[in-house]
Amino acid sequence: MPTPSMEDYLERIYKLIDEKGYARVSDIAEGLEVHPSSVTKMIQKLDKDNYLIYEKYRGLVLTTKGKKMGKRLVERHHLLESFLTIIGVQDENIYQDVEGIEHHLSWDSITCIETLVAFFERDPSRLDDLKAVRAELDNE
């Protein structure tokens, strides 16, 4: 299993390749707010663990394993954003909160959250019920 730091890199690399068709060290460094030398070290680790293939001065390509994990990490991020939105977290807090919790939840917990999000999305009146309960608690 990748470490939380490896997950951040894989998620960023996957998103860059999806958006631009490639991922450069400078783009990864900028997106993660780290030094390019840190990116190079992590890319070498990810290469060693078969998440990507890296050739110095030529770039990198995600392996099937890397693509699968990258996609899963991006989906987890979007799911947690949806979950926090549904439960009423203020928009300005969502990104930071997702970044804070995404590495600390088991995949079992992620699956349960996914079920809960689907439950609310299938019947919008359930969201109204949730908001009503929240309003009651806020008024206590």
Side-chain angles (χ1 to χ4, degrees):
M1 283 302 287
T3 65
S5 181
M6 291 168 83
E7 287 183 347
D8 285 339
Y9 279 85
L10 281 169
E11 183 179 353
R12 186 72 194 138
I13 291 166
Y14 182 86
K15 285 168 77 174
L16 283 166
I17 291 173
D18 187 50
E19 293 165 6
K20 299 170 105 177
Y22 60 89
R24 296 182 312 197
V25 168
S26 59
D27 295 328
I28 299 165
E30 181 181 330
L32 295 175
E33 298 179 353
V34 297
H35 293 286
S37 60
S38 299
V39 174
T40 301
K41 286 178 190 171
M42 181 58 78
I43 286 174
Q44 290 167 346
K45 283 182 192 175
L46 292 170
D47 184 13
K48 183 178 172 235
D49 290 347
N50 299 313
Y51 288 104
L52 55 82
I53 298 167
Y54 174 65
E55 293 182 29
K56 196 172 184 178
Y57 306 116
R58 298 193 76 184
L60 60 92
V61 177
L62 287 171
T63 61
T64 301
K65 177 181 175 181
K67 287 178 189 172
K68 184 177 176 183
M69 181 57 74
K71 182 177 184 202
R72 188 175 187 196
L73 296 169
V74 168
E75 289 171 348
R76 174 182 72 183
H77 191 98
H78 290 303
L79 173 68
L80 291 172
E81 285 178 344
S82 295
F83 172 67
L84 294 179
T85 299
I86 284 171
I87 63 172
V89 174
Q90 295 177 5
D91 288 345
E92 61 267 16
N93 296 327
I94 289 176
Y95 179 80
Q96 207 56 38
D97 287 353
V98 169
E99 289 297 313
I101 65 173
E102 66 185 341
H103 302 297
H104 301 285
L105 296 173
S106 67
W107 287 104
D108 180 46
S109 293
I110 296 296
T111 301
C112 292
I113 290 170
E114 185 175 32
T115 303
L116 186 62
V117 167
F119 174 80
F120 283 110
E121 288 178 342
R122 286 186 183 162
D123 184 353
S125 69
R126 294 173 180 157
L127 280 175
D128 295 335
D129 293 343
L130 180 65
K131 289 175 186 174
V133 169
R134 182 170 180 180
E136 286 174 24
L137 292 173
D138 286 345
N139 291 326
E140 288 183 353

